[in-house]
Amino acid sequence: MNVLHFLKKNKQFTVFLILALLIVGTAIFAPWIAPKDPYEAVMTDSLTAPNDTYTCGTDKLGRDVLSRVIYGTRSSLTMTLCLVLVIFVVGTLLGILAGFFGGIVDAVIMRIADMMISFPGLVLAIAIAGLLGPNMVNAVIAISAVSWTKYARLSRSLVLKIKKNLYIEAALVSGTRKGKIIWKYVVPNMITTMIVTAATDIGTMMLELASLSFLGFGAQAPTPEWGLMLNEGRTYLSKAPWLMIYPGIAIVIVVVVFNMLGDSIRDILDPKQN
């Protein structure tokens, strides 16, 4: 009953949570939802316009666009969640270390962060992905390398604020181990803000990954991934616009849903920001 009351009270959160779960369900059950094999090429049906057989048309190899868009949910969403998890864990951990211990630890971590943000993010990610080689794992590594600084700076500022509280000073004076202080007192008081930040970044990170794939530094053919599908379809924009329309719509829907879900979570966990 408490859960139902909470969902009824937070209607916006409930709506976008349901939509997010539908997107996740699409990724999980793609083999059962997709009408055709996304890798099956039927050259005789190349660039077929949407019809009764192919709801969203076919690409240059005669592959069903609808099935590829559905399967694209798997690769795009999985890699995006992995990316957000990596930058959340790495950035938050480094920020905690910098803020709590200060001194040389703080100086080294923050100078590295300053160096990373001095370059345009996407340009640096392209350079890193180009050095590592074009695939989705390397794309995640490249974007993580330029995105962790946001979490590190935010968590550091929160830790510096928390350190000023008397209970932290009392714990230090009483001889409590620093690791225990961080885990018991620091992390619980900052984790909410960090989770809200991570939730609101899902849509942005999905766009970053799609951008790298579109530029040829992310997913590689024949992987059904939305950014790659946009890249493959741009050549046929005037002749077969559906090759870009449907992957583009999928990206817009998923980004909007997760952005709104993140905003809803922020409103619930940080009511002071309302």
Side-chain angles (χ1 to χ4, degrees):
M1 293 300 292
N2 291 333
V3 174
L4 291 176
H5 176 71
F6 173 81
L7 294 176
K8 289 180 180 179
K9 182 181 178 181
N10 301 282
K11 294 181 180 178
Q12 178 178 311
F13 170 78
T14 303
V15 170
F16 288 104
L17 176 63
I18 292 172
L19 292 175
L21 291 176
L22 288 174
I23 293 169
V24 173
T26 300
I28 294 173
F29 299 106
W32 294 273
I33 298 175
K36 299 181 184 298
D37 184 347
Y39 298 98
E40 183 182 1
V42 183
M43 296 303 297
T44 54
D45 292 334
S46 176
L47 298 178
T48 300
N51 55 32
D52 293 339
T53 305
Y54 300 103
T55 306
C56 296
T58 64
D59 63 9
K60 62 181 179 180
L61 298 178
R63 296 173 299 192
D64 182 43
V65 172
L66 176 59
S67 298
R68 290 182 65 77
V69 169
I70 291 172
Y71 268 82
T73 312
R74 274 188 162 185
S75 53
S76 298
L77 189 59
T78 301
M79 289 295 101
T80 300
L81 294 178
C82 289
L83 172 59
V84 172
L85 180 62
V86 169
I87 60 176
F88 172 80
V89 172
V90 173
T92 302
L93 179 60
L94 291 176
I96 290 173
L97 294 176
F100 191 83
F101 293 101
I104 186 66
V105 176
D106 183 27
V108 170
I109 293 175
M110 287 299 103
R111 294 302 74 76
I112 294 175
D114 291 340
M115 182 178 66
M116 297 302 294
I117 63 176
S118 64
F119 297 95
L122 185 58
V123 174
L124 183 57
I126 290 172
I128 295 173
L131 290 173
L132 295 176
N135 62 56
M136 284 299 282
V137 174
N138 290 341
V140 169
I141 294 172
I143 298 176
S144 299
V146 301
S147 301
W148 65 270
T149 55
K150 172 184 177 180
Y151 290 80
R153 297 173 75 88
L154 176 59
S155 60
R156 175 181 177 271
S157 65
L158 292 172
V159 171
L160 291 175
K161 182 179 180 180
I162 295 169
K163 275 179 66 178
K164 297 178 180 178
N165 291 310
L166 291 176
Y167 60 84
I168 297 293
E169 296 180 8
L172 289 170
V173 170
S174 65
T176 306
R177 288 182 294 108
K178 291 183 178 180
K180 184 176 181 181
I181 293 174
I182 292 173
W183 183 252
K184 189 174 181 180
Y185 300 111
V186 175
V187 172
N189 284 289
M190 62 175 289
I191 196 66
T192 297
T193 302
M194 302 307 299
I195 290 175
V196 169
T197 303
T200 54
D201 268 355
I202 292 176
T204 304
M205 292 300 106
M206 178 168 287
L207 284 177
E208 294 274 352
L209 279 174
S211 298
L212 281 187
S213 294
F214 179 79
L215 295 171
F217 295 98
Q220 299 298 301
T223 305
E225 197 274 339
W226 296 332
L228 177 61
M229 292 175 69
L230 289 175
N231 184 33
E232 292 174 340
R234 65 188 174 87
T235 309
Y236 305 93
L237 180 58
S238 58
K239 183 179 180 181
W242 58 86
L243 295 181
M244 294 194 74
I245 290 175
Y246 294 111
I249 290 174
I251 292 174
V252 170
I253 290 174
V254 174
V255 169
V256 169
V257 167
F258 279 100
N259 278 347
M260 294 303 296
L261 180 62
D263 288 342
S264 303
I265 295 173
R266 181 196 61 199
D267 293 340
I268 294 170
L269 297 180
D270 284 347
K272 290 184 292 184
Q273 293 188 16
N274 290 342

